Amino acid sequence: MAFFITFEGIEGCGKTTQEARLAETLAERGYPVVVTREPGGCAIAEQIRAILLDAENRALVPLAELLLYAAARAQHVEEVIRPALDSGKIVICDRFTDATAAYQGYGRSLDLDLIDRLNRLATGGFSPDLTILLDCPEEVGLSRAMARINSAEGGVREERFEQESIAFHRMVRRGYLRLAAAEPERFVVLDGTRGIEETAAAVTETVITRIPRG
Ligand code: TMP
């Protein structure tokens, strides 16, 4: 019953909360679940994450950023995602290839064909079975994300993307909506401005109806 679910959306759309809720629900129903994230998900890719999200790394150029995401993904797929799917688990991943198209493609204006080729190279050519896009206006998402960052303690401040302008996040949001429109069988777009409980119920219903039986 291997099944690969990804969550996408702009900063502060509520993905992380909803993933945790979904993992809990699926585990209660007896499904074997692995929860992971990008960039990161294994030791080497988490080190790449630290470079990518460090607010001090303002000098990182868009192409280097793109290649680092691809490198982190190649490691994560090989080390975590593929083995979990091969052993019949349900994998829930916080962001995946669509984030690269949305942020580096629509947000930074890097070539979408190049991104597509790099995504294929990094994943060995597979895509999620289901992608849940939690859509929310950039003003709402960013104010939630900044509230979270301001209440966090110490460590590396992972706010390089939160420091981008509202206009950047608007382009990312539009990019996600385009990606969803281009692949309606894979994407489900849910309203990320609703309350946690209401969204969790919508996520559960979406997922349960799609997981193959047996
Ligand atoms: P998050 O774990 O808080 O969602 O943060 C990850 C950040 O990395 C977020 O700002 C989106 C960004 N990102 C990209 O720009 N491209 C990618 O391919 C991925 C996976 C994430």
Side-chain angles (χ1 to χ4, degrees), residues 80-134:
V80 177
I81 298 179
R82 201 185 293 281
L85 292 173
D86 285 347
S87 66
K89 303 220 166 82
I90 295 180
V91 176
I92 302 174
C93 190
D94 188 332
R95 301 195 185 280
F96 197 58
T97 43
D98 298 303
T100 317
Y103 281 81
Q104 282 65 52
Y106 289 98
R108 302 254 193 257
S109 303
L110 289 176
D111 182 55
L112 285 167
D113 285 336
L114 170 66
I115 291 173
D116 196 40
R117 276 184 282 138
L118 272 177
N119 276 341
R120 270 182 234 220
L121 188 68
T123 60
F126 76 90
S127 6
D129 296 301
L130 167 66
T131 298
I132 296 178
L133 172 58
L134 290 181

Side-chain angles (χ1 to χ4, degrees), residues 11 15 38-39 49 53 69 73 95 99-100 103-104 161:
E11 327 295 310
K15 299 176 278 102
E38 288 211 345
R49 177 187 178 96
L53 303 189
Y69 279 112
R73 181 160 303 132
R95 301 195 185 280
T100 317
Y103 281 81
Q104 282 65 52
F161 280 87

Side-chain angles (χ1 to χ4, degrees), residues 88-196:
K89 303 220 166 82
I90 295 180
V91 176
I92 302 174
C93 190
D94 188 332
R95 301 195 185 280
F96 197 58
T97 43
D98 298 303
T100 317
Y103 281 81
Q104 282 65 52
Y106 289 98
R108 302 254 193 257
S109 303
L110 289 176
D111 182 55
L112 285 167
D113 285 336
L114 170 66
I115 291 173
D116 196 40
R117 276 184 282 138
L118 272 177
N119 276 341
R120 270 182 234 220
L121 188 68
T123 60
F126 76 90
S127 6
D129 296 301
L130 167 66
T131 298
I132 296 178
L133 172 58
L134 290 181
D135 179 51
C136 93
E138 47 285 354
E139 293 82 1
V140 175
L142 278 182
S143 71
R144 285 180 184 161
M146 288 320 290
R148 185 186 60 221
I149 281 171
N150 290 333
S151 66
E153 285 172 13
V156 174
R157 286 179 68 95
E158 285 193 345
E159 61 186 56
R160 206 166 59 84
F161 280 87
E162 283 79 357
Q163 289 175 346
E164 294 284 347
S165 65
I166 285 269
F168 174 81
H169 289 95
R170 189 172 302 129
M171 290 194 287
V172 172
R173 181 188 183 202
R174 284 198 193 137
Y176 269 132
L177 290 170
R178 279 202 200 174
L179 295 169
E183 281 188 77
E185 5 20 80
R186 174 164 69 87
F187 271 90
V188 172
V189 183
L190 298 177
D191 178 359
T193 61
R194 291 182 296 182
I196 291 176

